[in-house]
Each structure stands twice: as structure tokens, then as C-alpha cells.
Amino acid sequence: MKIGFIGLGIMGKPMAKNLLKAGYELNVYDVNKTAVAEVVASGAKEASSSREAASHVDVVITMLPNSPHVKEVVLGAGGVVEGIAAGTILVDMSSIAPLVSKEVSAELEKLGVVMLDAPVSGGEPKAIEGTLAIMVGGPADAFAKVESLLGVLGASVTHVGDIGSGNMAKLANQIMVASNIAGMSEALVLASKAGVDPSVVYQAVRAGLAGSTVLDAKAPMVLAGNFKPGFRIELHIKDLQNALDTAEQLEVPTPMSTAIIGMMRELQQDGKGGDDHGGLIQYYEKVSHITARAK
Ligand code: NAD
């Protein structure tokens, strides 16, 4: 099976390399030529545009930052629509607004191209290991055709429902992760202000009901003052904004996402948008005039 792969960033690069290792032929494109060169050195063929990457392949994968990038790369001038043949499947693995997945899918349908939205959770380490959680929306028969390919990239591949439902599951994931990080931050800063060692609080609670994957991933980093991404605050702002836009369309109140995006935007204004999202604790530290670090 031949694949066109567009978007070789933190996530796309290791994903493309894993597909090469598994024996798939890849045509790759990114505006960042250094990233392209690295994946070409691992055995991929360089394409000169998104159009060329999407030509003469069975599947096109996109792994781009957000909705406008996906629209431009797929539907724009020199884009996927100019090269893709009827019968090809487009798997967009970017985390974007569910409504935009539906819009792009409707345009591709006119060309006989089926789209799946298949965003991921797990971050760079799991992208490298090929153990991402992949949530997929779109027709079941197209899902069946790419399930084994996605199995190379993920430890779990779940067909959630119709087009857009993969990104809806991802937004749910991002709300839960943000809320976990905010809860952890609020709790550890309060304990610190009370004179209790936050690293001992972490050890005391991690095996109980408050224990979580998020807590075990983020508390050790936060307690060490390590905010190196990982997953950048500015990307989490993008996901929460997509959640808020979706909630507005559906007239659903989302008070927690609204509060947390405000904290994240304040940190972005402070020049911390590139920090790991565990760095959200710096908002609480700023307003409480204390840092929560291991003693
Ligand atoms: P990134 O910014 O590192 O990579 C995006 C890549 O897309 C870059 O290499 C960029 O040059 C390329 N690109 C942008 N516009 C382009 C265009 N017009 N044509 C060709 N290439 C273009 O982002 P990332 O961290 O790899 O994230 C990609 C997606 O995965 C995002 O939607 C993100 O929310 C999601 N995600 C990221 C993580 C993470 O931990 N980084 C985890 C889960 C999901």
C-alpha cells in the first residue's frame, strides 16, 4: 500500500518513520524542508507539494496543526484535491474542529474520495513507540481498509462513529486532560501555601481515587519545574477553543473549559505558550505568590 504523508512535525515525523519501518511506501511533504530531509533519509520519497504527495497513492495521511492548515493543504491551491484520485482514502490525523472535518469530507466526496478523521492522543513518546490512542470517524468500510495501517501507529484504534466523531472524542479527551491538570495545579499550590511538601502530597494520593495517567505524567515534571514540551499550551488552547466553538453551536455550557482557556491565554500573554501544558500550574503559582516544587 502506498501512502502520501503530509505534515512531519513533532508527531508526524515519528509516525511516518514507523510506517516506513513497517514496509509502507511513503511520499512525504512538509513546508519544513529539514523535516522532509530527515524522513527521506529513512526511506521516504520527497514530494514537491501536497498535490504531488496525494498523487498515485492508495491513502493520504495529514498531520497538521489545526483546521485552517487542513483546509489549505487539502482544498487549497496546489493541495490534495488537485492530485488525489477517486477511490483514495484521506485520513486526517490532525486534531481539528469536528465541523471542519465534515466540511472537508463533503468537498472530497464530490471527487469520490472518502475521508476519515483520526486524531490521536499520547504525545511524542507514544508517537515514537507506535502506541498512540487513535479515535476514528467516518464510514465503517473505509475504516476497515486502513485499520491495520493505523495499528502500526497506535496501541488502540477505535471507530467512534460518523465523520467528525473522531475529533469529538479528541475534544472530550482534551477537556478531561486540561481539567486534570488544572485540578492537580490548584491542589498542589494550595498544599504548598499550607506549608505541606507537594511531592509528598503527590505520593500520598497517587494510588487512591485521585491517581491518574495525567497525574503520573505531569506531577513529576511540575514538581521538578520542568515545562519542556511535550504538548504545548498553545496547542491545548487551540483544542479548547475548538471545544468551545462546538459547545456554542450545540448551546452546551462548558464552564470548566472556559475557565481553563482563560488561564492558558494569560500564560500565553506572559510568553509561556510554548511551555508544556503541565506548565498551567504557573498560573496558580503567579496568583498565589508561591511555587509548588519538591522540597
Ligand atoms: P507541529 O507543529 O510540530 O507539526 C505540524 C507540521 O505541519 C509542521 O512540520 C509544519 O511545518 C507542517 N505544516 C503546517 N502547515 C503546512 C502546510 N501548509 N503544508 C505542509 N506542511 C505544513 O505539530 P504536532 O505537535 O506534530 O501536532 C500535529 C497535530 O497533532 C495537532 O493537531 C496537535 O494538536 C495534534 N497532537 C499533538 C500532540 C503532541 O503532543 N504534540 C499530541 C496529540 C495530538
Side-chain angles (χ1 to χ4, degrees):
M1 190 184 268
K2 211 166 166 192
I3 302 169
F5 200 114
I6 304 166
L8 304 168
I10 292 179
M11 299 296 286
K13 199 194 300 174
M15 289 163 67
K17 286 183 180 176
N18 283 337
L19 289 169
L20 288 167
K21 257 188 248 159
Y24 290 98
E25 265 183 75
L26 255 63
N27 274 355
V28 296
Y29 178 68
D30 193 296
V31 286
N32 176 351
K33 295 298 159 217
T34 315
V36 172
E38 198 181 320
V39 182
V40 166
S42 300
K45 195 167 153 256
E46 179 172 354
S48 61
S49 62
S50 296
R51 174 183 48 211
E52 197 181 303
S55 305
H56 311 297
V57 294
D58 305 295
V59 173
V60 176
I61 296 178
T62 44
M63 192 50 167
L64 299 157
N66 197 8
S67 308
H69 308 87
V70 172
K71 273 188 160 176
E72 184 199 325
V73 163
V74 178
L75 306 176
V80 168
V81 279
E82 294 181 5
I84 201 163
T88 311
I89 298 174
L90 183 130
V91 186
D92 177 35
M93 303 193 74
S94 329
S95 304
I96 68 169
L99 193 71
V100 174
S101 300
K102 288 184 189 169
E103 279 172 29
V104 174
S105 168
E107 289 303 315
L108 290 173
E109 211 178 309
K110 295 176 191 164
L111 304 172
V113 172
V114 174
M115 173 170 164
L116 299 169
D117 62 316
V120 309
S121 176
E124 188 183 21
K126 292 193 179 217
I128 293 169
E129 287 168 15
T131 57
L132 293 163
I134 306 177
M135 26 215 127
V136 190
D141 53 344
F143 173 72
K145 286 183 189 155
V146 297
E147 194 175 0
S148 59
L149 179 169
L150 295 177
V152 171
L153 306 174
S156 83
V157 182
T158 307
H159 185 224
V160 184
D162 294 340
I163 185 74
S165 61
N167 271 307
M168 198 54 248
K170 174 67 182 178
L171 289 186
N173 181 85
Q174 294 305 83
I175 291 171
M176 289 188 250
V177 171
S179 306
N180 265 266
I181 294 174
M184 172 194 76
S185 302
E186 195 164 300
L188 295 182
V189 167
L190 177 63
S192 302
K193 198 79 177 182
V196 178
D197 185 337
S199 62
V200 180
V201 172
Y202 163 55
Q203 289 304 331
V205 305
R206 61 180 294 265
L209 192 56
S212 69
T213 308
V214 173
L215 186 71
D216 281 336
K218 300 301 170 188
M221 285 177 73
V222 158
L223 292 165
N226 171 14
F227 304 123
K228 183 174 174 287
F231 188 72
R232 298 190 302 275
I233 286 172
E234 60 206 11
L235 277 181
H236 214 142
I237 290 174
K238 176 261 302 182
D239 290 333
L240 290 180
Q241 189 60 55
N242 284 336
L244 294 182
D245 293 345
T246 306
E248 191 177 308
Q249 282 151 18
L250 300 174
E251 298 183 354
V252 172
T254 46
M256 276 204 303
S257 299
T258 303
I260 297 169
I261 201 171
M263 299 175 202
M264 288 183 170
R265 286 202 196 283
E266 181 161 341
L267 289 174
Q268 193 177 36
Q269 293 298 321
D270 290 345
K272 296 182 189 297
D275 282 4
D276 187 73
H277 54 168
L280 179 65
I281 197 167
Q282 296 168 104
Y283 170 83
Y284 285 94
E285 292 177 340
K286 183 171 130 181
V287 294
S288 305
H289 306 287
I290 193 159
T291 54
R293 300 285 174 272
K295 286 191 180 155

